[in-house]
Amino acid sequence: VLQEPHEEDVPEPEPSLRLATQVAVDEAILASLSLRTTLSIEPEEVAREVRTARELFDERGWLADPAAYNAEPPALENPRSDVDRAWGIEFEHLRWESGYEPHAGEPGRDRWLGYAPNRTAHAWVLRHPSKPRPWLICIHGYEMGFPQIDFAGFQVWKLIRDLQLNVAMAVLPFHGPRRIARMSGIGFLAGNFLDTIHAEANAMWDVRRLLSWIRSQHDGPVGVWGLSLGGYNAALFSCLADDLACVIAGIPATDFTRLTWRHGPTLQLRWAERNGLHHDEIGEILRVVSPLALETKVAHAHRHIFAGVSDRLVPPDQPRDLWRHWDRPHIEWYQGAHLTFRAHPAARRFVPDALRAAGLVD
């Protein structure tokens, strides 16, 4: 941590045994990821897709106007609902046909349509017994997407019991019941960058449909909170959805290209570069699903970010860049790493305080 170049506008880490322990947890996760993750790509083919996509996106005006890339989905009506339980909590498991398809002519379209599990969208819904109540949409992080993990990650019992909210937890493509491999999340950030774009566009399509379903039965405030990869998606969602009461980006990733070049296997990245796959070209096409390229629709007072100064999975320059892009709203920097944010009282208070400020909590 001390060898990392200090990032402007980020508080400096304060060395301590406590901080070192939290960093070690992050590093253990990174080591685990490196053992089971490779960039499963043919770099020449991916480079061709990137160049073709860049030409197509420019021709259709999407690089200049990234929001136009993200089509308006139809309203969600009558999703299938089954009752299930996790952690002793009863919840509704919503399922519906996603209906998302990449644009005609996009590279990787046929491959995406072949990922059958992603055709069905899923969400976990929990309601406070008092009705009506405000709603909070929660978007999980990488490798999550199962009720037991998602409920623990967001401590959903506190959202329901203490804050008295209704909660809808969207499942991202390639995760949980939508996974295409043994591990949840595999494919989202595997080096096929058109798959990453389509995964994000599919996520936005599904969460916007989920929001339409919520609003069909409730006209009160709705907020969104995401963690890590979910923080990226919450920030992007706030650029596409109208009238959100607040957006909370927790330990958010914001730039997939930089993350790939930081965490990807070094030799594979060099091999990819030698075969024509270049950082800047990838970053350009990812603009169409980047929260740093679109403008959030949430009022400045209700944009919220929390992040760790020593985060090893999502380095602090990533949430810092979102904070700058959002015109420097409320941000909580804690002296810790990625997976241990709940060890910090200020981070624990952050979400309830943000929800109260937005009028979701009495």
Side-chain angles (χ1 to χ4, degrees), residues 93-134:
H93 179 178
L94 297 190
R95 297 179 180 87
W96 66 94
E97 189 68 22
S98 169
Y100 167 78
E101 294 185 4
H103 295 279
E106 275 195 81
R109 171 186 163 89
D110 291 342
R111 182 175 64 246
W112 183 264
L113 296 177
Y115 297 140
N118 279 321
R119 297 176 195 160
T120 303
H122 299 257
W124 328 125
V125 172
L126 304 99
R127 302 175 192 261
H128 189 270
S130 299
K131 297 180 181 180
R133 297 301 305 162

Side-chain angles (χ1 to χ4, degrees), residues 24-348:
V25 173
D26 275 13
E27 291 289 354
I29 295 299
L30 280 175
S32 173
L33 284 171
S34 69
L35 288 174
R36 63 180 190 270
T37 301
T38 59
L39 297 179
S40 53
I41 61 171
E42 293 294 335
E44 292 180 347
E45 176 60 30
V46 175
R48 280 194 295 271
E49 285 192 351
V50 169
R51 288 193 294 270
T52 302
R54 198 260 170 234
E55 293 173 2
L56 179 71
F57 291 2
D58 186 38
E59 177 185 307
R60 297 187 180 179
W62 296 331
L63 297 183
D65 182 13
Y69 175 83
N70 297 272
E72 182 76 26
L76 175 60
E77 298 176 356
N78 302 318
R80 175 182 168 186
S81 177
D82 299 308
V83 177
D84 208 339
R85 296 184 72 85
W87 295 105
I89 302 171
E90 189 174 279
F91 67 95
E92 299 170 57
H93 179 178
L94 297 190
R95 297 179 180 87
W96 66 94
E97 189 68 22
S98 169
Y100 167 78
E101 294 185 4
H103 295 279
E106 275 195 81
R109 171 186 163 89
D110 291 342
R111 182 175 64 246
W112 183 264
L113 296 177
Y115 297 140
N118 279 321
R119 297 176 195 160
T120 303
H122 299 257
W124 328 125
V125 172
L126 304 99
R127 302 175 192 261
H128 189 270
S130 299
K131 297 180 181 180
R133 297 301 305 162
W135 283 80
L136 180 65
I137 296 174
C138 296
I139 309 179
H140 63 76
Y142 187 63
E143 293 195 331
M144 297 172 68
F146 299 98
Q148 294 84 352
I149 300 174
D150 297 350
F151 289 9
F154 289 94
Q155 294 196 331
V156 72
W157 39 85
K158 292 188 177 181
L159 298 176
I160 303 296
R161 181 194 64 205
D162 298 346
L163 303 184
Q164 300 182 18
L165 295 168
N166 293 332
V167 178
M169 313 186 85
V171 178
L172 295 174
F174 290 130
H175 286 78
R178 309 180 76 172
R179 67 191 185 280
I180 61 169
R182 185 174 62 88
M183 296 297 299
S184 180
I186 297 298
F188 207 109
L189 301 169
N192 274 318
F193 293 99
L194 269 298
D195 278 0
T196 297
I197 290 173
H198 296 149
E200 278 299 333
N202 198 159
M204 293 300 99
W205 176 279
D206 293 337
V207 182
R208 289 163 84 186
R209 296 195 73 194
L210 179 62
L211 176 61
S212 74
W213 176 81
I214 291 171
R215 286 187 168 150
S216 71
Q217 51 190 309
H218 170 74
D219 59 3
V222 181
V224 61
W225 171 25
L227 288 172
S228 191
L229 175 60
Y232 184 110
N233 279 272
L236 181 58
F237 180 59
S238 78
C239 303
L240 300 171
D242 294 322
D243 300 323
L244 289 175
C246 65
V247 54
I248 304 169
I251 46 178
T254 58
D255 188 323
F256 291 149
T257 317
R258 292 210 312 262
L259 277 182
T260 300
W261 256 257
R262 180 183 175 96
H263 294 317
T266 303
L267 289 177
Q268 286 193 326
L269 288 170
R270 290 178 182 172
W271 174 57
E273 288 172 339
R274 287 198 302 271
N275 284 276
L277 197 56
H278 300 299
H279 178 284
D280 291 347
E281 291 179 348
I282 295 164
E284 192 170 12
I285 64 167
L286 281 168
R287 281 177 49 82
V288 297
V289 289
S290 170
L292 300 180
L294 286 82
E295 297 298 326
T296 181
K297 298 181 180 183
V298 174
H300 187 272
H302 300 306
R303 307 169 189 172
H304 305 275
I305 305 168
F306 66 88
V309 299
S310 300
D311 194 325
R312 307 301 293 162
L313 279 79
V314 176
D317 62 300
Q318 300 243 340
R320 185 275 316 273
D321 287 354
L322 182 65
W323 175 71
R324 287 175 172 175
H325 181 63
W326 279 359
D327 195 23
R328 302 175 181 241
H330 186 198
I331 187 169
E332 179 69 40
W333 290 105
Y334 61 88
Q335 287 289 329
H338 191 76
L339 294 170
T340 49
F341 67 91
R342 293 197 185 282
H344 300 270
R348 291 198 302 270

